[in-house]
Amino acid sequence: MLKPAILYKDELTKLFAEQLYTDNFFYYNGYQYANSIPEIKAEDDLFQYAIVDEISLMNRPAHEYIAGFLTYRIWTSTDTVQSFGLYSFDERNTTIGKDVYCMLRLLVKKHRRLEWRMIGGNPVQRTYDHFCEKFGGHKVVLHDVVLDNNGHYHDEHIYEIVNYRGGSKI
């Protein structure tokens, strides 16, 4: 379930701090020595969500926990959605994929253009490729753009879906 991230600001900050210096954090931030924790804030045209799931333990009431984080920005002057960020704190949680897919699908239908980037080698690459293809998008690969902490270069994938209002596959 997507909920405004600002409601979970302290928990998200702590969860991100625990992930610093990991490969997953590198894929999220997209550059070597990326150690900046995302700032959770309320700002015009910026949307930040905690991906929240519930867990119930034997005969106890359900307990909420944060499975992931989703953020994006809408540029109203061009009706473009970009600056996506997706982070999974629980890679086995299926709620993340379902919630993100539903949100992306809604954004494709509602806005003229979506654009996002991803570092090659990210485990979510196949999912992004499939989503982009399903909605008639395009992908460009820039080779050997990003250097990781181990001195290896990664490609950068740029995805684009343009809704031509009447001619799209939506």
Side-chain angles (χ1 to χ4, degrees):
M1 179 181 338
L2 296 176
K3 294 190 175 184
I6 201 141
L7 296 172
Y8 301 89
K9 182 177 180 175
D10 293 338
E11 294 109 310
L12 281 164
T13 300
K14 183 178 180 202
L15 285 168
F16 274 117
E18 291 171 356
Q19 297 290 312
L20 285 174
Y21 318 120
T22 65
D23 286 342
N24 283 343
F25 204 71
F26 163 74
Y27 286 125
Y28 177 77
N29 274 329
Y31 59 96
Q32 187 181 29
Y33 309 125
N35 302 323
S36 297
I37 294 172
E39 184 180 350
I40 310 300
K41 58 187 173 183
E43 182 179 308
D44 289 347
D45 304 326
L46 177 66
F47 297 82
Q48 297 177 315
Y49 295 97
I51 304 170
V52 179
D53 202 355
E54 290 187 349
I55 185 170
S56 58
L57 303 172
M58 299 170 42
N59 300 326
R60 291 187 176 162
H63 169 73
E64 267 188 355
Y65 78 99
I66 299 171
F69 175 74
L70 173 66
T71 184
Y72 57 88
R73 185 173 293 279
I74 297 177
W75 298 100
T76 54
S77 62
T78 60
D79 197 18
T80 298
V81 181
Q82 62 183 180
S83 303
F84 278 96
L86 173 62
Y87 200 91
S88 172
F89 299 109
D90 180 359
E91 292 157 4
R92 294 170 284 138
N93 190 304
T94 58
T95 299
I96 297 167
K98 291 174 188 172
D99 286 352
V100 170
Y101 178 81
C102 288
M103 178 57 76
L104 287 175
R105 193 163 174 237
L106 175 70
L107 292 170
V108 165
K109 287 182 179 185
K110 187 175 180 182
H111 297 282
R112 188 186 69 80
R113 186 169 180 280
L114 271 73
E115 175 191 319
W116 71 98
R117 296 169 179 250
M118 182 206 68
I119 303 303
N122 191 322
V124 78
Q125 180 175 333
R126 278 188 17 210
T127 304
Y128 284 168
D129 288 350
H130 175 72
F131 184 85
C132 189
E133 183 179 315
K134 178 177 177 134
F135 290 98
H138 303 280
K139 177 174 100 167
V140 174
V141 179
L142 306 177
H143 299 283
D144 293 344
V145 175
V146 180
L147 185 64
D148 69 17
N149 294 328
N150 298 316
H152 300 105
Y153 283 95
H154 294 259
D155 297 342
E156 181 174 14
H157 300 247
I158 304 170
Y159 297 87
E160 171 189 63
I161 298 173
V162 179
N163 183 355
Y164 292 103
R165 306 281 190 229
S168 74
K169 297 181 178 180
I170 300 173

